Amino acid sequence: ILVAGARRVVVVADSSKLGQVSLATFAGCDEVDDLVTDSAADRSTLDALADAGVRVHLVDPRPQRPQVMETAS
């Protein structure tokens, strides 16, 4: 219902999720406008999605600096 009423559907998924078979889905490729994923994604999968009309956006994951929590003395 949410996808059907959306003006734009953006999927954010890391590369380990692409190409996997799942019992639950929320949208078909023909309903997705954009995919944001990491640069480790399989190139042939990305090409197939692009051929289906999905705009693919690759990002390079960068390790985050650990946050230092201050403790009261």
Side-chain angles (χ1 to χ4, degrees):
I1 295 174
L2 292 175
V3 171
R7 288 181 288 165
R8 183 174 176 194
V9 177
V10 179
V11 174
V12 179
D14 68 60
S15 59
S16 70
K17 305 297 186 276
L18 302 178
Q20 299 299 312
V21 176
S22 176
L23 294 176
T25 60
F26 73 94
C29 290
D30 59 329
E31 299 172 292
V32 174
D33 298 302
D34 294 86
L35 167 68
V36 180
T37 191
D38 60 271
S39 57
D42 178 68
R43 179 56 60 184
S44 62
T45 300
L46 297 177
D47 289 343
L49 289 166
D51 289 345
V54 177
R55 287 182 296 269
V56 176
H57 308 274
L58 296 179
V59 295
D60 284 319
R62 296 177 189 228
Q64 295 181 357
R65 294 190 319 185
Q67 294 182 352
V68 177
M69 300 192 58
E70 294 183 26
T71 58
S73 332

